[in-house]
Amino acid sequence: MKLLSNEVTLLLTSFLFVTSSQARVNNGKFWHVTDLHLDFYYDDTKTDPNAVCPSSFGEDTVDAGPFGDYRCDSPWRLVQSAINAMKNIEGDPDFILWTGDDTLHTSDEDKYLGTELVLETIRNLTDLIKGTFPNTTVHACLGNHDYHHKSQIPPGPSYILSNVAEYWKDWMTEGQFQMFNSTGQYSVEIATKVNLISLNTNVWYTSNHGVDGTGDPGGYFKWFENQLQQARTDSTKIYVIGHVPPGHFELVDYKYWYYPSYNERYVDIIKRYSDVIIGQFFGHHHTDTFRMFYDENNKAVSNLLIAPGVTPWMTTLPGAKDGANNPGVRLFEYDVATMVPTDYVQYYLNLPDANKNGKANWLEEYRATSAFDLPDLTTSSWDALSKRLASADVLDKTSDDTKMLQKFSEINSVSYNFATCDKQCQLNQVCAVRELDYGKYKTCVSGGVTLVPVFYSLLFLCALLSIFML
């Protein structure tokens, strides 16, 4: 009997070992890093808090330390610590996504920046990433701050674009290099029957005055559609990366990013080709959030994940309250057989602690499936989360949905802002997540429609009817 027990134990141990080994074999990993925003003027030894960094826009930087300040963009030491943390946590990823915005925010670009300083910043960051991950391919895209003047990226070739193409040439084939050199976007095969499309979404940005919000600048939408149509024809799946996402910024009422017609076209493309898209990865916000795409029947068909930035910089957009964040980097896990993302772990740096201790201790902030009670990262799972956030009664602090909304709000700032998420906070967060259409968002955030999904109301009515019929 004892022998049998030992045999069972041995068999169980062997089974668990094989199962865990198989899970590791089927599980790939990649990093997503975004919005580094290097402020090479940063100097925390300055006695005048207004002189610590030009990215503070003259605001006091009373908490400045070696790793930065919430009023400033990233000092070099912070950027180094982020890339080194990625190496220490997972030093052999399958690839890295780098979704743009490398230079500092400033109200005086001609004084603190310029074409050559923009290029020097991008080159230094490229060298840092290449030196830290010499054997890893990086799939990158431009941010609106990767140009001089910021956001004025033209559709087509430019001096800055051709130089950046040279910096990133080692990560591309000749064909991809030529495409990026002339447009700032490209497509690359990242696995069998899986391609990655890197978009130059800056040409659709409302702050880009080189376009007027009409037509199809540079034919970028048409190229995107052609890539997706070819993928469908070839039974290929698609990752999409970009910097500026569609929709609204959740910290400010009515702040949208794309020109209206460009937003409408992007959303329409995603809805029409949702069958081939298995991931959308963006930055720009500096916050941690996601976006949903729904078809005409209000069925969720796609989602877009927005990773938080490395910069802790507090946004100066009018209406934003305490809009800073702790620095963050994100490690995705995916099924190597399908390339479908299955989970991610968000890592962050507690900035005050790092400054106090003189050491950058990057920690796990949360695991997506655990923190949000998700079975996986499929569109249906993110849709279910958005409905929980929408149905939360902010007056009922004991409700599980209200607790989830509060957690989501805190995670949105990378564990920086722990203020109670009130009704307006809920409106801003949920409407930005669920309503990419500008008109529907406006109605939603103004409180013109209930946040609780229609089907919940129908379920309630059905329950009442069943009671009366008893």
Side-chain angles (χ1 to χ4, degrees):
M1 191 70 177
K2 184 176 181 181
L3 178 62
L4 180 60
S5 177
N6 289 339
E7 289 176 345
V8 170
T9 300
L10 180 61
L11 286 171
L12 181 59
T13 302
S14 300
F15 172 76
L16 291 174
F17 175 77
V18 170
T19 302
S20 62
S21 298
Q22 187 66 34
R24 287 195 297 270
V25 169
N26 292 333
N27 192 41
K29 294 183 179 181
F30 66 87
W31 282 106
H32 183 187
V33 61
T34 191
D35 294 271
L36 293 164
H37 284 289
L38 174 63
D39 186 342
F40 43 79
Y41 294 102
Y42 182 90
D43 184 355
D44 64 302
T45 66
K46 295 282 184 66
T47 55
D48 180 0
N50 288 301
V52 170
C53 63
S55 50
S56 71
F57 288 69
E59 295 290 336
D60 285 348
T61 53
V62 293
D63 298 318
F67 293 98
D69 183 276
Y70 290 121
R71 291 286 184 179
C72 299
D73 275 316
S74 306
W76 179 249
R77 192 170 176 183
L78 172 59
V79 172
Q80 279 184 311
S81 78
I83 305 304
N84 287 336
M86 291 164 59
K87 182 68 173 180
N88 293 332
I89 295 166
E90 177 51 72
D92 188 26
D94 297 316
F95 54 89
I96 296 172
L97 304 182
W98 178 17
T99 51
D101 261 15
D102 302 314
T103 66
L104 73 152
H105 298 83
T106 175
S107 58
D108 193 343
E109 290 185 69
D110 291 326
K111 179 179 179 180
Y112 294 109
L113 283 171
T115 296
E116 295 306 323
L117 284 177
V118 168
L119 288 172
E120 181 182 346
T121 300
I122 298 173
R123 184 175 64 250
N124 287 339
L125 294 174
T126 301
D127 290 345
L128 174 62
I129 294 173
K130 282 184 176 180
T132 308
F133 293 93
N135 302 313
T136 303
T137 298
V138 177
H139 305 298
C141 65
L142 292 172
N144 60 294
H145 279 268
D146 298 327
Y147 205 79
H148 186 73
H149 294 86
K150 68 179 181 183
S151 305
Q152 307 312 306
I153 300 175
S158 68
Y159 175 74
I160 286 181
L161 187 57
S162 61
N163 276 272
V164 174
E166 288 291 337
Y167 305 157
W168 295 351
K169 192 173 184 178
D170 294 344
W171 296 327
M172 304 177 185
T173 66
E174 181 60 28
Q176 292 153 14
F177 167 77
Q178 294 298 338
M179 181 66 187
F180 183 84
N181 190 41
S182 59
T183 66
Q185 50 192 27
Y186 64 94
S187 176
V188 55
E189 184 180 59
I190 57 174
T192 303
K193 291 292 185 178
V194 181
N195 291 348
L196 179 146
I197 296 174
S198 176
L199 293 174
N200 183 359
T201 62
N202 306 289
V203 299
W204 306 324
Y205 187 26
T206 55
S207 293
N208 189 341
H209 306 305
V211 297
D212 62 5
T214 64
D216 181 9
Y220 285 14
F221 279 121
K222 184 62 176 176
W223 177 83
F224 186 30
E225 288 184 79
N226 288 343
Q227 294 295 314
L228 294 171
Q229 181 58 51
Q230 190 62 53
R232 178 180 285 164
T233 301
D234 296 340
S235 299
T236 295
K237 299 301 183 183
I238 295 293
Y239 275 21
V240 178
I241 69 170
H243 180 68
V244 182
H248 286 74
F249 186 37
E250 68 275 5
L251 298 186
V252 181
D253 295 347
Y254 310 116
K255 177 58 182 177
Y256 56 80
W257 303 124
Y258 292 178
Y259 284 97
S261 67
Y262 299 160
N263 186 80
E264 183 178 350
R265 186 160 182 181
Y266 184 89
V267 171
D268 176 67
I269 290 172
I270 299 302
K271 290 194 294 185
R272 285 191 289 113
Y273 290 97
S274 61
D275 57 308
V276 301
I277 297 170
I278 56 175
Q280 299 181 74
F281 310 93
F282 282 70
H284 188 61
H285 282 212
H286 304 180
T287 58
D288 185 337
T289 186
F290 68 102
R291 297 293 179 263
M292 296 300 305
F293 296 76
Y294 297 95
D295 65 13
E296 292 70 21
N297 298 315
N298 204 34
K299 177 186 176 183
V301 294
S302 190
N303 67 86
L304 181 153
L305 302 181
I306 299 175
V310 170
T311 181
W313 181 78
M314 185 176 294
T315 180
T316 56
L317 285 173
K321 298 177 182 178
D322 206 11
N325 58 277
N326 278 311
V329 292
R330 178 171 292 180
L331 182 64
F332 277 93
E333 299 170 2
Y334 67 93
D335 185 332
V336 296
T338 62
M339 290 295 293
V340 173
T342 56
D343 211 345
Y344 69 76
V345 179
Q346 184 64 46
Y347 293 91
Y348 84 115
L349 182 68
N350 184 309
L351 189 58
D353 283 355
N355 284 335
K356 178 182 177 181
N357 300 325
K359 180 181 179 181
N361 185 23
W362 287 77
L363 301 171
E364 177 178 325
E365 183 189 16
Y366 70 93
R367 174 175 285 273
T369 53
S370 299
F372 300 134
D373 295 336
L374 305 176
D376 48 43
L377 298 191
T378 59
T379 292
S380 60
S381 293
W382 288 111
D383 181 42
L385 174 61
S386 76
K387 289 170 180 172
R388 286 194 66 182
L389 302 176
S391 64
D393 179 356
V394 296
L395 298 180
D396 182 4
K397 305 302 182 185
T398 63
S399 163
D400 287 342
D401 289 347
T402 303
K403 291 177 182 178
M404 179 61 73
L405 174 66
Q406 182 62 35
K407 179 193 291 185
F408 183 79
S409 174
E410 294 170 2
I411 283 174
N412 180 249
S413 68
V414 199
S415 297
Y416 161 77
N417 191 336
F418 293 92
T420 299
C421 188
D422 58 14
K423 189 62 179 180
Q424 191 58 53
C425 163
Q426 182 185 31
L427 285 168
N428 288 346
Q429 293 284 353
V430 174
C431 295
V433 166
R434 292 180 56 84
E435 301 294 357
L436 290 177
D437 177 87
Y438 287 174
K440 291 181 179 179
Y441 168 86
K442 185 175 181 180
T443 301
C444 178
V445 82
S446 65
V449 294
T450 178
L451 287 179
V452 180
V454 173
F455 80 92
Y456 282 152
S457 300
L458 292 175
L459 286 176
F460 178 70
L461 289 174
C462 289
L464 285 178
L465 286 173
S466 65
I467 292 172
F468 289 121
M469 292 173 65
L470 290 176

